[in-house]
Amino acid sequence: MPENDAYWRQTRLLTLLLLGLWILITFVLAWFAQEINRIVVFGFPLGFYMDAQGVLALYLAIIWYYNRRMAQLDRHHGIDDE
C-alpha cells in the first residue's frame, strides 16, 4: 500500500506542477499583452504570434511531457499497459 501512495503522490505533484505552468503561461502572457505587443515581428505584434502559435506549441509541449513522465511513473511502479 505505501507503494500505491507514492505513485499517487508523484502523480498529483506532476499534475499540479504542470497545471501551475499552464496557468502561468495562460494568464501571465495575457497580463503582459500590451508590453508584448510593443514588439513587432513581420509587421504584426508579438502578442499575435504568441496567441496564434506560441501558446499552442507550449500547451502541446506540456501534454507531451505529461504523457512521457506518466509512462515512466507507470513503468516504475509496475502498472504500465502492455
Side-chain angles (χ1 to χ4, degrees):
M1 200 56 136
E3 182 70 24
N4 193 19
D5 290 340
Y7 172 77
W8 285 110
R9 188 173 40 257
Q10 291 172 339
T11 300
R12 278 194 311 267
L13 179 63
L14 176 65
T15 302
L16 289 174
L17 288 174
L18 293 178
L19 182 61
L21 181 61
W22 175 82
I23 289 169
L24 183 75
I25 289 169
T26 301
F27 295 109
V28 170
L29 287 177
W31 184 264
F32 293 107
Q34 289 181 344
E35 290 83 5
I36 293 172
N37 280 334
R38 291 183 187 143
I39 302 169
V40 177
V41 178
F42 299 119
F44 294 98
L46 183 60
F48 170 79
Y49 289 108
M50 294 298 285
D51 284 339
Q53 304 296 328
V55 173
L56 297 176
L58 292 174
Y59 292 159
L60 286 174
I62 290 172
I63 293 167
W64 172 82
Y65 180 77
Y66 178 81
N67 184 35
R68 183 171 177 255
R69 185 68 182 121
M70 282 305 299
Q72 289 173 348
L73 282 174
D74 289 350
R75 277 193 304 276
H76 177 73
H77 292 281
I79 54 174
D80 57 334
D81 291 336
E82 309 254 340

